[in-house]
Amino acid sequence: MPPRPEPRSCPMASDEIKPSYEAAREELIEVVRALETGGTTLEESLALWERGEKLATICQEWLDGARQRLDAAMATDDEG
């Protein structure tokens, strides 16, 4: 059985560095696997779920930012 990621009881602190998209996605995959595998207590499952929600938000923020950059670059190309 693969090792379970440690559940984090609180979301990322504001002074904590935001992980890269790739790091957040990889950790999210690990969290989903741990939840699907089961074998955790209710408290651990809730902590994993909360961490997964936070990681999903981080991934979406990265994707939204990438979309904005692409849109801006395409707008610049259209103007030039």
Side-chain angles (χ1 to χ4, degrees), residues 53-64:
E53 288 289 329
K54 181 66 176 175
L55 292 165
T57 298
I58 291 168
C59 288
Q60 190 59 55
E61 288 170 354
W62 276 110
L63 293 172
D64 291 345

Side-chain angles (χ1 to χ4, degrees), residues 14-70:
S14 59
D15 61 340
E16 191 174 335
I17 296 172
K18 180 179 174 180
S20 68
Y21 170 80
E22 292 79 8
R25 183 176 175 273
E26 187 59 37
E27 187 179 346
L28 180 56
I29 289 168
E30 292 173 17
V31 166
V32 169
R33 283 186 186 140
L35 287 168
E36 288 177 341
T37 301
T40 58
T41 66
L42 177 59
E43 191 61 37
E44 290 170 333
S45 294
L46 289 172
L48 285 168
W49 180 271
E50 290 169 349
R51 182 62 182 163
E53 288 289 329
K54 181 66 176 175
L55 292 165
T57 298
I58 291 168
C59 288
Q60 190 59 55
E61 288 170 354
W62 276 110
L63 293 172
D64 291 345
R67 170 53 63 193
Q68 290 173 354
R69 289 175 61 188
L70 287 172

